[in-house]
């Protein structure tokens, strides 16, 4: 899995070398988003789109001059000379489709959380290793401009060693949200913790790589009538004493993304990622001076969420 810090302008990337033929599994909202992203990258072409809803798949495929089919198989991947697959379906179907692609020997990108269970995820990792292909999970929050700026500053040592991370993230859902697949345990494997929760846990793992964390927490269903949680709170502690405090919610009636990281020499704060993520993308860096006085400066970050997907695709292609 290749997930390095990148600072890119994805929409002006120069065409070099091979043009990769992509298959997308899933013609829903995320599938349509990935079709747009693949179309916008000069090194990629959408060659095949898979979805059991034939008319939906055919309509989206026609828009990008691609073929369509109702189900994924090794035969169809080989017939269309597919180099890489993007899987963007409800969680229940991530593992089965990922396993087909990996066993076929095709580089595979799976939208988060990658699978519904840890054993499923371990199996996919083993298949990728056996087939000697790349497996990447879609944690696009890493690729937002603001988060990239935090990563750059942390890696530069400007705020010293990380002491604690605090992330609050939530949105209000929408009318009828309890009837959507994300709130159905059989399809999703869990509620907000399997959705936004995996994003914020991934950010902690990225900034504290290799940390052996002890985790405690609580989940609750407070508003949405469902068999999964609509709120989750976690406390993570590394062996060296670093802390991460996380809260994700689907009862956050005003969208919120608040990311705070404090180190021994200063801190970084991200107030929102823009749009449905809340806030205006204000980035704050504070540095300690003599006597623990703080020097602080603020900047605005790019808040187009599409850029995070373009950057993510570039890293996936580069890893291949």
């Amino acid at each position: 899995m290749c997930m390095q810090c990148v600072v890119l302008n994805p929409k002006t990337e120069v065409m070099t070398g091979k043009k990769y033929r992509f298959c997308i599994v899933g013609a829903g909202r995320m599938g349509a988003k990935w079709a747009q992203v693949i179309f916008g990258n000069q090194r990629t072409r959408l060659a095949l789109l898979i979805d059991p809803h034939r008319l939906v798949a055919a309509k989206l495929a026609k828009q990008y001059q691609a073929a369509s089919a109702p189900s994924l198989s090794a035969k169809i991947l080989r017939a269309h000379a597919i180099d890489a697959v993007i899987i963007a379906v409800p969680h229940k179907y991530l593992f089965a489709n990922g396993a087909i692609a990996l066993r076929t020997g095709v580089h595979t990108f799976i939208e988060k959380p990658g699978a519904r269970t840890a054993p499923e995820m371990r199996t996919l990792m083993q298949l990728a290793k056996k087939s000697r292909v790349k497996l990447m999970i879609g944690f696009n929050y890493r690729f937002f401009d603001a988060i990239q700026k935090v990563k750059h500053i942390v890696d530069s040592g400007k705020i010293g060693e990380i002491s604690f991370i605090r992330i609050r993230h939530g949105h209000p859902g929408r009318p009828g949200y309890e009837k959507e697949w994300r709130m159905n345990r059989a399809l999703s494997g869990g509620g907000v913790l399997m959705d936004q929760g995996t994003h914020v846990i991934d950010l902690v793992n990225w900034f504290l790589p290799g940390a052996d964390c002890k985790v405690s927490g609580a989940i609750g269903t407070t508003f949405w009538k469902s068999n999964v949680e609509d709120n989750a709170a976690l406390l993570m502690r590394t062996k060296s004493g670093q802390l991460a405090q996380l809260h994700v919610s689907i009862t956050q009636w005003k969208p919120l993304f608040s990311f705070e990281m404090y180190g021994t020499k200063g801190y970084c704060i991200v107030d929102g990622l823009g749009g449905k993520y809340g806030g205006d993308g204000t980035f704050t860096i504070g540095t300690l001076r003599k006597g623990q006085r703080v020097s602080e400066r603020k900047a605005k970050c790019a808040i187009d969420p599409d850029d995070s997907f373009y950057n993510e695709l570039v890293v996936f292609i580069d890893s291949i």
Side-chain angles (χ1 to χ4, degrees):
M1 211 178 294
C2 181
M3 284 291 218
Q4 67 266 37
C5 178
V6 289
V7 180
L8 305 169
N9 184 348
K11 295 174 182 176
T12 59
E13 188 188 1
V14 177
M15 172 67 179
T16 57
K18 177 180 173 67
K19 191 156 188 171
Y20 294 88
R21 293 172 62 83
F22 268 73
C23 167
I24 295 176
V25 182
R29 183 178 62 86
M30 286 305 300
K33 172 61 65 181
W34 276 113
Q36 176 187 340
V37 171
I38 289 169
F39 180 76
N41 186 297
Q42 294 185 48
R43 290 192 288 172
T44 58
R45 180 197 163 195
L46 179 58
L48 178 64
L49 201 145
I50 304 289
D51 197 290
H53 299 90
R54 293 173 183 265
L55 293 179
V56 175
K59 182 179 179 181
L60 184 60
K62 183 179 179 181
Q63 183 178 344
Y64 294 97
Q65 298 181 326
S68 64
S71 61
L72 187 67
S73 68
K75 181 178 179 181
I76 198 167
L77 288 173
R78 291 176 181 133
H80 290 273
I82 299 300
D83 297 299
V85 172
I86 289 180
I87 300 172
V89 294
H91 301 166
K92 179 179 179 179
Y93 309 108
L94 294 174
F95 173 76
N97 285 288
I100 291 170
L102 292 168
R103 286 194 178 103
T104 308
V106 174
H107 301 294
T108 302
F109 178 104
I110 307 178
E111 268 299 345
K112 60 85 186 161
R116 285 185 301 172
T117 67
E120 284 184 350
M121 193 69 247
R122 291 190 190 100
T123 298
L124 292 175
M125 293 169 69
Q126 290 166 0
L127 288 173
K129 186 175 182 180
K130 183 177 181 180
S131 296
R132 296 185 178 182
V133 294
K134 297 296 182 180
L135 169 62
M136 183 169 170
I137 308 303
F139 290 120
N140 71 300
Y141 282 35
R142 295 188 182 199
F143 298 94
F144 275 91
D145 183 40
I147 301 301
Q148 288 282 310
K149 282 182 168 58
V150 174
K151 182 66 172 172
H152 177 73
I153 286 170
V154 169
D155 289 348
S156 73
K158 288 182 181 179
I159 65 170
E161 295 295 320
I162 297 172
S163 300
F164 71 88
I165 299 171
R166 182 166 52 222
I167 307 176
R168 296 174 294 142
H169 186 24
H171 67 80
R174 45 191 165 260
Y177 197 74
E178 72 278 8
K179 299 176 183 178
E180 297 186 15
W181 71 263
R182 293 178 188 275
M183 299 294 283
N184 181 331
R185 184 176 298 279
L187 293 175
S188 66
V192 68
L193 193 57
M194 287 289 281
D195 189 12
Q196 295 166 292
T198 56
H199 277 302
V200 298
I201 292 170
D202 174 67
L203 290 178
V204 173
N205 287 335
W206 196 37
F207 283 103
L208 300 175
D212 184 8
C213 291
K214 289 186 176 180
V215 183
S216 59
I219 60 175
T221 304
T222 62
F223 178 83
W224 297 101
K225 294 180 180 179
S226 171
N227 60 0
V228 297
E229 74 282 355
D230 58 22
N231 277 268
L234 298 181
L235 183 63
M236 304 170 68
R237 185 182 187 276
T238 70
K239 284 186 175 179
S240 58
Q242 297 160 304
L243 296 178
Q245 183 182 7
L246 314 175
H247 177 229
V248 288
S249 174
I250 329 173
T251 63
Q252 185 85 38
W253 304 125
K254 182 179 179 181
L256 172 75
F257 180 85
S258 173
F259 180 101
E260 301 169 86
M261 178 180 293
Y262 282 75
T264 54
K265 296 180 182 178
Y267 55 87
C268 294
I269 298 173
V270 175
D271 179 19
L273 297 174
K276 67 177 183 179
Y277 301 95
D280 60 0
T282 299
F283 176 80
T284 303
I285 177 172
T287 52
L288 293 177
R289 303 301 183 189
K290 290 183 178 180
Q292 292 189 326
R293 289 181 299 174
V294 174
S295 173
E296 189 174 88
R297 62 182 177 86
K298 296 179 182 289
K300 291 290 186 182
C301 295
I303 58 173
D304 183 352
D306 285 358
D307 285 351
S308 68
F309 294 104
Y310 282 103
N311 284 339
E312 198 171 26
L313 180 63
V314 168
V315 170
F316 183 49
I317 290 295
D318 286 346
S319 75
I320 294 173

